Amino acid sequence: GAGVSQSPRYKVAKRGQDVALRCDPISGHVSLFWYQQALGQGPEFLTYFQNEAQLDKSGLPSDRFFAERPEGSVSTLKIQRTQQEDSAVYLCASSLGGGSPYEQYFGPGTRLTVT
Amino acid sequence: QQQVKQSPQSLIVQKGGIPIINCAYENTAFDYFPWYQQFPGKGPALLIAIRPDVSEKKEGRFTISFNKSAKQFSLHIMDSQPGDSATYFCAAVPYNTDKLIFGTGTRLQVFP
């Protein structure tokens, strides 16, 4: 079956522009996660949804970052007034939820470059 | 801040060798320890996971060893193959959350 898809795969933004990154999770997956992966580093947690409810946004680095999942399926990560330090790969993951929270299925990521 | 430390940063082995990747954590508030494999241009994919009440778990050529008292765990890859060349991340799941806390990664290269 289809895995997690993300779009766009690559995004170049000028400093100060707003960007929106989309994630289509695996159908039926209750939980959805966003991670940020800097070059040569491990992914870092940003935020987590269970259905449409955002249960944890403790990893969002500033109030310029906003995520939503209005119908409990597709999610969008928005970054306002992008800065150079926002350059990274943004990974989306989904899971069934329940007893195995570590079984997260990742998309290929969106590589954001801020110039 | 909860952290997971991973070493080595990179590892080179010959085909058939047994690379070992080590991780350590700094508090006891974790209840799952998964390992993920990532190929260039792809997202991480789950390999194997262990709970802290188990000392060893094996799935195919991949084995996790867990030392609760030392707060350390490691991944062993038996009979490594060139196709195992990838970046490996250990991770931990804090109690009462579903988020993953990742290590910094180990880039493994297996030469024929």
Side-chain angles (χ1 to χ4, degrees), chain B residues 43-62:
Chain B
L46 177 66
L47 267 180
I48 185 173
I50 197 169
R51 295 199 66 160
D53 53 351
V54 175
S55 61
E56 184 174 282
K57 183 174 181 181
K58 185 179 293 188
E59 285 186 5
R61 295 185 294 108
F62 300 95

Side-chain angles (χ1 to χ4, degrees), chain B residues 9 24 26 34 37 42 44 50-51 79 92 97 99 105-106:
Chain B
Q9 192 172 19
E26 296 187 335
Q37 179 189 56
K42 306 288 187 184
I50 197 169
R51 295 199 66 160
D79 188 26
T97 77
K99 64 185 176 185
T106 297

Side-chain angles (χ1 to χ4, degrees), chain A residues 86-102:
Chain A
D86 300 335
S87 295
V89 175
Y90 290 85
L91 295 164
C92 174
S94 69
S95 75
L96 280 170
S100 300
Y102 56 86

Side-chain angles (χ1 to χ4, degrees), chain A residues 5-8 18-25 32-35 46-49 51-52 54 60 64-80 90-93 110:
Chain A
S5 60
Q6 293 185 245
S7 60
D18 297 350
V19 298
L21 312 180
R22 178 187 168 107
C23 173
D24 285 81
L32 186 145
F33 305 82
W34 284 98
Y35 294 85
L46 293 176
T47 187
Y48 156 56
F49 291 85
N51 295 307
E52 67 278 6
Q54 189 173 20
L60 295 176
R64 296 186 296 104
F65 286 71
F66 172 76
E68 60 184 5
R69 194 186 185 198
E71 297 177 0
S73 179
V74 170
S75 177
T76 303
L77 176 68
K78 298 179 179 177
I79 308 173
Q80 296 177 324
Y90 290 85
L91 295 164
C92 174
T110 294

Side-chain angles (χ1 to χ4, degrees), chain A residues 35 37 42-43 48 99 102 104 107, chain B residues 32 36 38 41 43 89 98 100 102:
Chain A
Y35 294 85
Q37 186 173 23
Y48 156 56
Y102 56 86
Q104 297 183 18
Chain B
Y32 288 102
Y36 278 78
Q38 186 175 30
F89 294 97
D98 287 0
L100 294 166
F102 283 91

